[in-house]
C-alpha cells in the first residue's frame, strides 16, 4: 500500500504532502565531528519517507510502518526532554526543537516508512529527524535552510532523545546531493559538494552492514568524546581541530603526563582530519583509486588508537583487502554497524563473496552488502 493510502487509512484523509530523507555512510573522517573537524559523508539511496498533514489543535500524532503498534498521540505543549521513550521521541524532539527556536508548529499527523536499516550505523535516526523537520518547515512555511534544519534535528537528538551525536548525520541527510560526497567542516558548517562518480572510473564503494551491535559500544562514544576534550584541554586548544597535522608529533610529545589513551585519541582525531584532506586532494585530482589505502589507514587508526572496532568489522577489512579491494574501513560509531569497501567494479563480486565466506567460516551472522550510490539529500516527494 502506498504511503499516502496508508496515511488516509490511519488518519481519515490524504496527507498535505510527502517528504523523503536519506540515510548516509561516511567515507572518511570518523569521531571528528565533535572535535570541530572534517567529515565526508554521502547520502544513500535508502530513505525515510513521511506523509504529513498540518494540525492546528496542538496534537502530534505519529505512526511508523516499521514498528509494531498503532498511532501515538502527544501534546505539542507537553513535550519535555528525556521523557519520551521509544521511537516517537525522534519526531517529537524535532517538534520540540522547532518550538524552542521560536517557530510556530501547532501539531501534525505523521505516517512514515523507511528503507534505511536501523541501528546499522547508517543514520536511520537522522533520516527520521530530518524528514520530520523538512516536512514541518514546508507545511508551516518556516523558511529554514538545510543546515538550519540539520542543527535543529541534532538538538532534538542531543537534548530531547538524549543521544550525544555530532552534526554529521543530520547535515548529510539534509544537504547531500546526487553523485557527490559532502566535504563538511563541522566547525562552521561550511561545505563543498565533491563529485563522487565512482562508476565513471570503474570503481564501487560497498557498504557492509555486519548486523551486529556490541554492548561495549554503549557509553564508548561519550567516553571517547570526554577523552578528546581532555586532550584538547591538556594541549590548551578549544578543540582538537586546532591541532595541525604537522604539529602532531610535538603535540603528542607534550602529552607525556596524560594517560596513554588520551594520546591515542588525539593521534586518531588529528590524523583522521588530515586523512579527509588527503582524500579531498585525491578526488580533486581524479586519483580516486588512491583513496583506498587512506581508508585502510583510517581503519587501523580507529582499531588501534580509538579502539572502537570489533572482530566483525576487522574481518570485513581483512577479507576484502585479501580479495583485492583497494581499501576498507569501519564507518560510523563502531562496535558493530557497517564498514565501507572501495573496490574495482570488476572485482566487486569476488570481494563480496570473500567477505561472505569469511563470515561463514568465522560463524558470524551473514552481513548485508550493497553498493553506496551517492544520492540526493532530503526533499519533497509530492
Ligand atoms: P542509526 O541511526 O545508526 O540507524 P540509532 O540507534 O541512532 O541508529 O537510531 C535508531 C532508532 O531510530 C530506532 O531504534 C528507532 O527508535 C528510530 N527509528 C529509525 N527509523 C525508524 C522508523 N522507520 N520507524 C520508527 N523508528 C525509527
Ligand atoms: Mg543514529
Amino acid at each position: 500500500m502506498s504511503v499516502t493510502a496508508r496515511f488516509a487509512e490511519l488518519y481519515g484523509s490524504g496527507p498535505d504532502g510527502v517528504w523523503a530523507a536519506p540515510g548516509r555512510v561516511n567515507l572518511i573522517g570518523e569521531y571528528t565531528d565533535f572535535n570541530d573537524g572534517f567529515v565526508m559523508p554521502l547520502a544513500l539511496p535508502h530513505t525515510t519517507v513521511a506523509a504529513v498533514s498540518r494540525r492546528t489543535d496542538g496534537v502530534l500524532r505519529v505512526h511508523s510502518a516499521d514498528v509494531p503498534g498503532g498511532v501515538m498521540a502527544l501534546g505539542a505543549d507537553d513535550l519535555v526532554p528525556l521523557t519520551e521513550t521509544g521511537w516517537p521521541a525522534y519526531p517529537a524532539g524535532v517538534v520540540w526543537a522547532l518550538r524552542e527556536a521560536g517557530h510556530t508548529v501547532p501539531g501534525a499527523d505523521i505516517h512514515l516508512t523507511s528503507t534505511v536499516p536501523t541501528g546499522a550505523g547508517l543514520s536511520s535516526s537522522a533520516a527520521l529527524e530530518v524528514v520530520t523537520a523538512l516536512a514541518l518547515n514546508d507545511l508551516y512555511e518556516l523558511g529554514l535552510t538545510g543546515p538550519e534544519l540539520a542543527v535543529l534535528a541534532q538538538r532534538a537528538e542531543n537534548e530531547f532523545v538524549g543521544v550525544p551525536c555530532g552534526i554529521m548525520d543530520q547535515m548529510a541527510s539534509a544537504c547531500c546531493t546526487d553523485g557527490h560526497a559532502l566535504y563538511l567542516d563541522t566547525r562552521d558548517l561550511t561545505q563543498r559538494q565533491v563529485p563522487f562518480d565512482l562508476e565513471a572510473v570503474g570503481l564501487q564503494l560497498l557498504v557492509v552492514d555486519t548486523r551486529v551491535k556490541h554492548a561495549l559500544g554503549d557509553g564508548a562514544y561519550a567516553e571517547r568524546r570526554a577523552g578528546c576534550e581532555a586532550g584538547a584541554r591538556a594541549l590548551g586548544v578549544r578543540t582538537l581541530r586546532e591541532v595541525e597535522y604537522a604539529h602532531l608529533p610535538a603535540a603528542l610529545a607534550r602529552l607525556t603526563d596524560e594517560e596513554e589513551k588520551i594520546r591515542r585519541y588525539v593521534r586518531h582525531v588529528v590524523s583522521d582530519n588530515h586523512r579527509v584532506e588527503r582524500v579531498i586532494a585525491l578526488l580533486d585530482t581524479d586519483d580516486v583509486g588512491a583513496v583506498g589505502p587512506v581508508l585502510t589507514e583510517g581503519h587501523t587508526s580507529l582499531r588501534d588508537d580509538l579502539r572502537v572496532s570489533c572482530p566483525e568489522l576487522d574481518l570485513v577489512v581483512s577479507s576484502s583487502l585479501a580479495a583485492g579491494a583497494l581499501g576498507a574501513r569501519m564507518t560510523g560509531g563502531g562496535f558493530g554497524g557497517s564498514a565501507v569497501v572501495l573496490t574495482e567494479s570488476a572485482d566487486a563480486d569476488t570481494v563480496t563473496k570473500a567477505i561472505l565466506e569469511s563470515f561463514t567460516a568465522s560463524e558470524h551472522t551473514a552481513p548485508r552488502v550493497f553498493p553506496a550510490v551517492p544520492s540526493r539529500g532530503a526533499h519533497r516527494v509530492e
Side-chain angles (χ1 to χ4, degrees):
M1 188 188 295
S2 75
V3 70
T4 48
R6 182 70 176 126
F7 183 100
E9 197 176 80
L10 289 163
Y11 297 118
S13 60
D16 292 339
V18 178
W19 290 260
R24 64 94 189 96
V25 70
N26 189 26
L27 183 64
I28 190 79
E30 213 66 74
Y31 280 83
T32 49
D33 67 345
F34 57 79
N35 290 295
D36 272 0
F38 302 119
V39 293
M40 215 182 155
L42 42 127
L44 294 171
H46 308 67
T47 57
T48 298
V49 173
V52 186
S53 280
R54 296 178 203 85
R55 286 184 75 99
T56 51
D57 59 355
V59 175
L60 172 67
R61 293 195 294 181
V62 293
H63 181 266
S64 170
D66 309 317
V67 178
V71 171
M72 313 255 231
L74 302 115
D77 291 332
D78 311 324
L79 299 175
V80 178
L82 308 178
T83 56
E84 290 302 328
T85 52
W87 76 271
Y90 292 88
V94 171
V95 170
W96 172 83
L98 285 166
R99 290 165 64 107
E100 281 286 300
H103 302 292
T104 303
V105 180
D109 284 339
I110 302 177
H111 164 64
L112 58 97
T113 179
S114 183
T115 56
V116 185
T118 53
L122 303 174
S123 275
S124 69
S125 60
L128 173 49
E129 292 148 14
V130 170
V131 78
T132 305
L134 182 65
L136 297 173
N137 182 55
D138 286 358
L139 287 176
Y140 291 112
E141 297 177 359
L142 306 179
L144 296 167
T145 62
E148 287 169 340
L149 293 173
V151 168
L152 287 167
Q154 183 204 13
R155 184 163 183 218
E157 184 152 346
N158 288 171
E159 295 181 34
F160 195 87
V161 184
V163 178
C165 59
I167 189 65
M168 167 171 67
D169 302 350
Q170 293 80 9
M171 280 296 289
S173 188
C175 302
C176 279
T177 58
D178 214 6
H180 293 82
L182 179 72
Y183 175 31
L184 178 69
D185 181 340
T186 64
R187 180 162 62 184
D188 56 10
L189 301 189
T190 51
Q191 46 169 295
R192 174 152 74 91
Q193 302 289 342
V194 182
F196 195 62
D197 184 1
L198 291 175
E199 208 184 313
V201 289
L203 299 179
Q204 256 193 39
L205 188 71
L206 302 174
V207 177
V208 184
D209 168 11
T210 63
R211 297 173 186 260
V212 298
K213 188 169 167 52
H214 294 286
L216 192 61
D218 301 337
Y221 182 90
E223 196 275 337
R224 300 305 183 280
R225 199 168 170 144
C228 290
E229 284 162 8
R233 266 196 310 279
L235 290 168
V237 291
R238 203 174 63 80
T239 66
L240 293 180
R241 157 64 181 277
E242 316 294 330
V243 182
E244 279 181 43
Y245 183 68
H247 299 156
L248 178 58
L252 293 174
R254 280 179 57 195
L255 292 174
T256 43
D257 291 344
E258 304 299 316
E259 284 174 86
E260 182 253 357
K261 78 169 186 197
I262 304 286
R263 302 178 77 237
R264 285 191 278 107
Y265 294 179
V266 169
R267 187 162 55 204
H268 168 74
V269 171
V270 177
S271 67
D272 228 37
N273 272 332
H274 184 58
R275 277 185 282 274
V276 177
E277 296 185 298
R278 285 164 63 201
V279 166
I280 290 291
L282 291 169
L283 292 179
D284 282 345
T285 53
D286 286 328
D287 197 359
V288 188
V291 166
V294 187
L295 301 185
T296 308
E297 259 181 51
H299 183 76
T300 306
S301 180
L302 287 159
R303 185 191 62 199
D304 298 344
D305 274 349
L306 211 58
R307 301 193 183 165
V308 295
S309 189
C310 67
E312 293 87 348
L313 289 166
D314 292 342
L315 186 60
V316 174
V317 173
S318 59
S319 61
S320 60
L321 292 177
L326 301 171
R329 70 174 197 95
M330 56 154 281
T331 181
F335 304 102
S338 298
V340 286
V341 177
L342 185 69
T343 172
E344 305 271 1
S345 303
D347 297 336
D349 288 346
T350 315
V351 168
T352 302
K353 200 161 156 265
I355 296 167
L356 294 174
E357 280 173 3
S358 70
F359 271 62
T360 307
S362 306
E363 297 182 357
H364 294 312
T365 308
R368 170 168 30 194
V369 186
F370 59 89
V373 180
S375 303
R376 68 192 291 203
H379 57 278
R380 186 168 188 157
V381 178
E382 51 185 88

